[in-house]
Amino acid sequence: MFLKGPLVPQSNQSQASVCTTSLHMDAWHPVEMTRYFPRFDVTHHRPPIHLAPFTERQHSYRKMMDHSCVVRKNAEDCAICLDKIQDKKTLKCRHSFCSACIDSVFKFKPACPICNTYHGVYTGTQPSGTMTVTRSSQRLSGFERCGSIVIQYSFPSGIQGPEHPNPGVRYSSTSRTAYLPACEEGEKVLRLLRKAFDRRLLFTVGRSATTGLNNVITWNDIHHKTSIAGGPQSFGYPDPEYLFRVQEELRLKGVTEDD
């Protein structure tokens, strides 16, 4: 999902600065925000964002990350606090911050605020459940030369924890079925999905975008094919770019074959 701020008026374009920040917070949807801000006042040009309610932990993270999207006075300043870097810490991606600032960010998510490179394992808020894989001879549209992989996710009902929107409130049980082609690329995606499931990244608890119900188990922005046919509009095949697209979604969660 892309949310864009208002374009800079013609008269102010020479003064404009562009800042792109990726926010991937626990238990709410990732947001790619590209903003065009006049230097004189960035606070009045932020577009309204209507999302599910945040926990206190998520509010703190959002506030911290919003600061990194404000124009720095100097390229050598810390992108988090916007002041001169104190006790400099340089990450493997070569971006530098105040040691205390980046340590605070890493308490919420071990990723560089500038380039989103992960420095450690990111664990999500997926509730306890199971992921079962079976094989089928059934062909998927667009992959007629191979069989299919059937993934069954199952979650019992439970109580929301402190990482969820409403701690102590019950959430209902659910089950989902997804399909992959049993080709080399499909097998690769299956390995990545297993890794993401083990890291609690595939699902979360919140508000369903489909039904509007709160306190339910929902997908966590890693798209699955839940139909064997019907095309993208029916969450099915054929969809030639799907296997590559879902790998990019997984990468944004820090899940790759190299990690």
Side-chain angles (χ1 to χ4, degrees), residues 1 6 9 13-14 21 32 34 39 48 73 85 99 103 111 129 152 165 167 196 210 212 215 256:
M1 174 174 64
Q13 284 185 354
S14 62
T21 301
E32 289 285 342
T34 303
R39 290 185 188 275
K73 298 176 184 178
I85 293 178
S99 178
D103 287 347
Q152 183 71 41
T210 304
N215 304 312
T256 66

PDB file of all heavy atoms in Angstrom, residues 1 6 9 13-14 21 32 34 39 48 73 85 99 103 111 129 152 165 167 196 210 212 215 256:
ATOM      1  N   MET A   1       0.865  -1.179   0.000  1.00  0.00           N
ATOM      2  CA  MET A   1       0.000   0.000   0.000  1.00  0.00           C
ATOM      3  C   MET A   1       0.894   1.219   0.000  1.00  0.00           C
ATOM      4  O   MET A   1       1.861   1.296   0.737  1.00  0.00           O
ATOM      5  CB  MET A   1      -0.886   0.001   1.239  1.00  0.00           C
ATOM      6  CG  MET A   1      -1.713   1.263   1.381  1.00  0.00           C
ATOM      7  SD  MET A   1      -2.868   1.172   2.760  1.00  0.00           S
ATOM      8  CE  MET A   1      -1.738   1.066   4.118  1.00  0.00           C
ATOM      9  N   PRO A   6       0.840  15.343   0.048  1.00  0.00           N
ATOM     10  CA  PRO A   6       0.501  16.287  -1.018  1.00  0.00           C
ATOM     11  C   PRO A   6       1.741  16.773  -1.729  1.00  0.00           C
ATOM     12  O   PRO A   6       2.792  16.908  -1.130  1.00  0.00           O
ATOM     13  CB  PRO A   6      -0.203  17.422  -0.264  1.00  0.00           C
ATOM     14  CG  PRO A   6       0.309  17.328   1.128  1.00  0.00           C
ATOM     15  CD  PRO A   6       0.519  15.849   1.376  1.00  0.00           C
ATOM     16  N   PRO A   9       3.868  22.756  -3.757  1.00  0.00           N
ATOM     17  CA  PRO A   9       3.479  23.785  -4.732  1.00  0.00           C
ATOM     18  C   PRO A   9       4.639  24.158  -5.628  1.00  0.00           C
ATOM     19  O   PRO A   9       5.801  24.067  -5.234  1.00  0.00           O
ATOM     20  CB  PRO A   9       3.052  24.961  -3.849  1.00  0.00           C
ATOM     21  CG  PRO A   9       2.684  24.336  -2.541  1.00  0.00           C
ATOM     22  CD  PRO A   9       3.601  23.157  -2.391  1.00  0.00           C
ATOM     23  N   GLN A  13       9.030  24.106  -4.978  1.00  0.00           N
ATOM     24  CA  GLN A  13       9.679  22.867  -5.384  1.00  0.00           C
ATOM     25  C   GLN A  13      11.176  22.911  -5.203  1.00  0.00           C
ATOM     26  O   GLN A  13      11.798  21.893  -4.937  1.00  0.00           O
ATOM     27  CB  GLN A  13       9.326  22.560  -6.843  1.00  0.00           C
ATOM     28  CG  GLN A  13       7.912  22.029  -6.998  1.00  0.00           C
ATOM     29  CD  GLN A  13       7.610  21.604  -8.415  1.00  0.00           C
ATOM     30  OE1 GLN A  13       8.428  21.817  -9.310  1.00  0.00           O
ATOM     31  NE2 GLN A  13       6.449  21.027  -8.621  1.00  0.00           N
ATOM     32  N   SER A  14      11.793  24.084  -5.350  1.00  0.00           N
ATOM     33  CA  SER A  14      13.238  24.170  -5.195  1.00  0.00           C
ATOM     34  C   SER A  14      13.664  23.941  -3.764  1.00  0.00           C
ATOM     35  O   SER A  14      14.812  23.635  -3.490  1.00  0.00           O
ATOM     36  CB  SER A  14      13.732  25.534  -5.673  1.00  0.00           C
ATOM     37  OG  SER A  14      13.158  26.558  -4.874  1.00  0.00           O
ATOM     38  N   THR A  21      10.518   6.341   3.995  1.00  0.00           N
ATOM     39  CA  THR A  21      10.746   5.515   5.166  1.00  0.00           C
ATOM     40  C   THR A  21       9.845   4.305   5.105  1.00  0.00           C
ATOM     41  O   THR A  21       8.672   4.424   4.808  1.00  0.00           O
ATOM     42  CB  THR A  21      10.436   6.305   6.458  1.00  0.00           C
ATOM     43  OG1 THR A  21      11.272   7.445   6.497  1.00  0.00           O
ATOM     44  CG2 THR A  21      10.688   5.436   7.685  1.00  0.00           C
ATOM     45  N   GLU A  32       4.523   1.871   3.141  1.00  0.00           N
ATOM     46  CA  GLU A  32       5.593   2.558   2.426  1.00  0.00           C
ATOM     47  C   GLU A  32       5.136   3.994   2.230  1.00  0.00           C
ATOM     48  O   GLU A  32       4.159   4.251   1.534  1.00  0.00           O
ATOM     49  CB  GLU A  32       5.836   1.895   1.070  1.00  0.00           C
ATOM     50  CG  GLU A  32       6.474   0.529   1.145  1.00  0.00           C
ATOM     51  CD  GLU A  32       7.939   0.608   1.472  1.00  0.00           C
ATOM     52  OE1 GLU A  32       8.527   1.698   1.306  1.00  0.00           O
ATOM     53  OE2 GLU A  32       8.488  -0.393   1.914  1.00  0.00           O
ATOM     54  N   THR A  34       6.001   7.795   0.988  1.00  0.00           N
ATOM     55  CA  THR A  34       6.853   8.740   0.264  1.00  0.00           C
ATOM     56  C   THR A  34       6.257  10.125   0.441  1.00  0.00           C
ATOM     57  O   THR A  34       5.115  10.341   0.089  1.00  0.00           O
ATOM     58  CB  THR A  34       6.921   8.390  -1.222  1.00  0.00           C
ATOM     59  OG1 THR A  34       7.390   7.052  -1.343  1.00  0.00           O
ATOM     60  CG2 THR A  34       7.861   9.328  -1.961  1.00  0.00           C
ATOM     61  N   ARG A  39      10.703  22.630   3.399  1.00  0.00           N
ATOM     62  CA  ARG A  39      11.591  22.648   4.555  1.00  0.00           C
ATOM     63  C   ARG A  39      11.030  23.471   5.712  1.00  0.00           C
ATOM     64  O   ARG A  39      11.324  23.212   6.869  1.00  0.00           O
ATOM     65  CB  ARG A  39      12.962  23.225   4.167  1.00  0.00           C
ATOM     66  CG  ARG A  39      13.777  22.326   3.270  1.00  0.00           C
ATOM     67  CD  ARG A  39      15.143  22.940   3.043  1.00  0.00           C
ATOM     68  NE  ARG A  39      15.894  22.202   2.042  1.00  0.00           N
ATOM     69  CZ  ARG A  39      16.620  21.137   2.288  1.00  0.00           C
ATOM     70  NH1 ARG A  39      16.686  20.669   3.509  1.00  0.00           N
ATOM     71  NH2 ARG A  39      17.273  20.529   1.328  1.00  0.00           N
ATOM     72  N   PRO A  48      -3.317  12.256   6.652  1.00  0.00           N
ATOM     73  CA  PRO A  48      -3.903  11.425   7.707  1.00  0.00           C
ATOM     74  C   PRO A  48      -3.789   9.960   7.346  1.00  0.00           C
ATOM     75  O   PRO A  48      -3.931   9.580   6.186  1.00  0.00           O
ATOM     76  CB  PRO A  48      -5.377  11.868   7.718  1.00  0.00           C
ATOM     77  CG  PRO A  48      -5.609  12.404   6.344  1.00  0.00           C
ATOM     78  CD  PRO A  48      -4.317  13.027   5.920  1.00  0.00           C
ATOM     79  N   LYS A  73      19.516  18.422   9.429  1.00  0.00           N
ATOM     80  CA  LYS A  73      20.246  19.655   9.192  1.00  0.00           C
ATOM     81  C   LYS A  73      21.551  19.385   8.456  1.00  0.00           C
ATOM     82  O   LYS A  73      22.024  20.186   7.671  1.00  0.00           O
ATOM     83  CB  LYS A  73      20.539  20.347  10.531  1.00  0.00           C
ATOM     84  CG  LYS A  73      19.303  20.755  11.310  1.00  0.00           C
ATOM     85  CD  LYS A  73      19.701  21.340  12.658  1.00  0.00           C
ATOM     86  CE  LYS A  73      18.471  21.675  13.489  1.00  0.00           C
ATOM     87  NZ  LYS A  73      18.838  22.194  14.835  1.00  0.00           N
ATOM     88  N   ILE A  85      25.700  13.079  15.782  1.00  0.00           N
ATOM     89  CA  ILE A  85      25.830  11.704  16.274  1.00  0.00           C
ATOM     90  C   ILE A  85      26.728  11.640  17.503  1.00  0.00           C
ATOM     91  O   ILE A  85      27.836  12.177  17.513  1.00  0.00           O
ATOM     92  CB  ILE A  85      26.383  10.783  15.170  1.00  0.00           C
ATOM     93  CG1 ILE A  85      25.357  10.658  14.038  1.00  0.00           C
ATOM     94  CG2 ILE A  85      26.733   9.402  15.721  1.00  0.00           C
ATOM     95  CD1 ILE A  85      25.815   9.811  12.865  1.00  0.00           C
ATOM     96  N   SER A  99      24.578   5.575  19.211  1.00  0.00           N
ATOM     97  CA  SER A  99      24.462   4.219  19.754  1.00  0.00           C
ATOM     98  C   SER A  99      23.160   4.034  20.522  1.00  0.00           C
ATOM     99  O   SER A  99      22.447   3.039  20.346  1.00  0.00           O
ATOM    100  CB  SER A  99      25.656   3.920  20.671  1.00  0.00           C
ATOM    101  OG  SER A  99      25.549   2.635  21.236  1.00  0.00           O
ATOM    102  N   ASP A 103      20.009   1.538  19.319  1.00  0.00           N
ATOM    103  CA  ASP A 103      19.681   0.479  20.272  1.00  0.00           C
ATOM    104  C   ASP A 103      18.197   0.531  20.638  1.00  0.00           C
ATOM    105  O   ASP A 103      17.555  -0.508  20.812  1.00  0.00           O
ATOM    106  CB  ASP A 103      20.537   0.606  21.528  1.00  0.00           C
ATOM    107  CG  ASP A 103      21.988   0.188  21.287  1.00  0.00           C
ATOM    108  OD1 ASP A 103      22.258  -0.413  20.234  1.00  0.00           O
ATOM    109  OD2 ASP A 103      22.833   0.474  22.159  1.00  0.00           O
ATOM    110  N   ALA A 111      16.096  -3.605  12.302  1.00  0.00           N
ATOM    111  CA  ALA A 111      16.315  -3.215  10.912  1.00  0.00           C
ATOM    112  C   ALA A 111      16.766  -1.772  10.845  1.00  0.00           C
ATOM    113  O   ALA A 111      16.344  -0.934  11.652  1.00  0.00           O
ATOM    114  CB  ALA A 111      15.040  -3.400  10.093  1.00  0.00           C
ATOM    115  N   GLY A 129      -0.113 -21.816  16.379  1.00  0.00           N
ATOM    116  CA  GLY A 129      -0.876 -22.571  15.394  1.00  0.00           C
ATOM    117  C   GLY A 129       0.015 -23.572  14.702  1.00  0.00           C
ATOM    118  O   GLY A 129       1.166 -23.788  15.088  1.00  0.00           O
ATOM    119  N   GLN A 152      -1.816 -26.021   4.754  1.00  0.00           N
ATOM    120  CA  GLN A 152      -2.960 -25.853   5.650  1.00  0.00           C
ATOM    121  C   GLN A 152      -2.485 -25.175   6.936  1.00  0.00           C
ATOM    122  O   GLN A 152      -1.633 -25.706   7.654  1.00  0.00           O
ATOM    123  CB  GLN A 152      -3.592 -27.204   5.992  1.00  0.00           C
ATOM    124  CG  GLN A 152      -4.823 -27.121   6.867  1.00  0.00           C
ATOM    125  CD  GLN A 152      -6.027 -26.545   6.136  1.00  0.00           C
ATOM    126  OE1 GLN A 152      -6.278 -26.860   4.975  1.00  0.00           O
ATOM    127  NE2 GLN A 152      -6.792 -25.700   6.810  1.00  0.00           N
ATOM    128  N   PRO A 165      -3.220  -5.960  19.762  1.00  0.00           N
ATOM    129  CA  PRO A 165      -3.948  -4.694  19.962  1.00  0.00           C
ATOM    130  C   PRO A 165      -4.740  -4.625  21.258  1.00  0.00           C
ATOM    131  O   PRO A 165      -4.840  -3.560  21.860  1.00  0.00           O
ATOM    132  CB  PRO A 165      -4.872  -4.627  18.747  1.00  0.00           C
ATOM    133  CG  PRO A 165      -4.221  -5.477  17.716  1.00  0.00           C
ATOM    134  CD  PRO A 165      -3.556  -6.584  18.462  1.00  0.00           C
ATOM    135  N   PRO A 167      -4.706  -6.701  24.574  1.00  0.00           N
ATOM    136  CA  PRO A 167      -4.244  -7.764  25.480  1.00  0.00           C
ATOM    137  C   PRO A 167      -5.344  -8.218  26.435  1.00  0.00           C
ATOM    138  O   PRO A 167      -6.093  -7.404  26.983  1.00  0.00           O
ATOM    139  CB  PRO A 167      -3.099  -7.077  26.239  1.00  0.00           C
ATOM    140  CG  PRO A 167      -2.619  -6.007  25.323  1.00  0.00           C
ATOM    141  CD  PRO A 167      -3.841  -5.507  24.620  1.00  0.00           C
ATOM    142  N   ALA A 196       9.165 -18.028   7.685  1.00  0.00           N
ATOM    143  CA  ALA A 196       8.348 -16.901   8.161  1.00  0.00           C
ATOM    144  C   ALA A 196       7.329 -17.362   9.201  1.00  0.00           C
ATOM    145  O   ALA A 196       7.064 -16.655  10.178  1.00  0.00           O
ATOM    146  CB  ALA A 196       7.641 -16.235   6.985  1.00  0.00           C
ATOM    147  N   THR A 210     -11.274  -7.847   5.312  1.00  0.00           N
ATOM    148  CA  THR A 210     -12.342  -8.443   4.508  1.00  0.00           C
ATOM    149  C   THR A 210     -13.703  -8.319   5.182  1.00  0.00           C
ATOM    150  O   THR A 210     -14.687  -7.880   4.579  1.00  0.00           O
ATOM    151  CB  THR A 210     -12.045  -9.926   4.231  1.00  0.00           C
ATOM    152  OG1 THR A 210     -10.765 -10.040   3.608  1.00  0.00           O
ATOM    153  CG2 THR A 210     -13.114 -10.534   3.333  1.00  0.00           C
ATOM    154  N   GLY A 212     -14.185  -6.769   8.399  1.00  0.00           N
ATOM    155  CA  GLY A 212     -14.299  -5.625   9.299  1.00  0.00           C
ATOM    156  C   GLY A 212     -14.354  -6.016  10.767  1.00  0.00           C
ATOM    157  O   GLY A 212     -14.474  -5.140  11.635  1.00  0.00           O
ATOM    158  N   ASN A 215     -10.350  -8.289  16.585  1.00  0.00           N
ATOM    159  CA  ASN A 215      -9.912  -9.398  17.444  1.00  0.00           C
ATOM    160  C   ASN A 215     -10.012 -10.738  16.731  1.00  0.00           C
ATOM    161  O   ASN A 215     -10.501 -11.724  17.265  1.00  0.00           O
ATOM    162  CB  ASN A 215     -10.738  -9.418  18.740  1.00  0.00           C
ATOM    163  CG  ASN A 215     -10.675  -8.099  19.487  1.00  0.00           C
ATOM    164  OD1 ASN A 215      -9.594  -7.545  19.694  1.00  0.00           O
ATOM    165  ND2 ASN A 215     -11.828  -7.570  19.872  1.00  0.00           N
ATOM    166  N   THR A 256      14.851 -14.350   3.931  1.00  0.00           N
ATOM    167  CA  THR A 256      15.500 -14.710   2.685  1.00  0.00           C
ATOM    168  C   THR A 256      16.196 -16.046   2.863  1.00  0.00           C
ATOM    169  O   THR A 256      16.326 -16.549   3.976  1.00  0.00           O
ATOM    170  CB  THR A 256      16.545 -13.650   2.272  1.00  0.00           C
ATOM    171  OG1 THR A 256      17.622 -13.653   3.232  1.00  0.00           O
ATOM    172  CG2 THR A 256      15.937 -12.253   2.200  1.00  0.00           C
TER     173      THR A 256
END
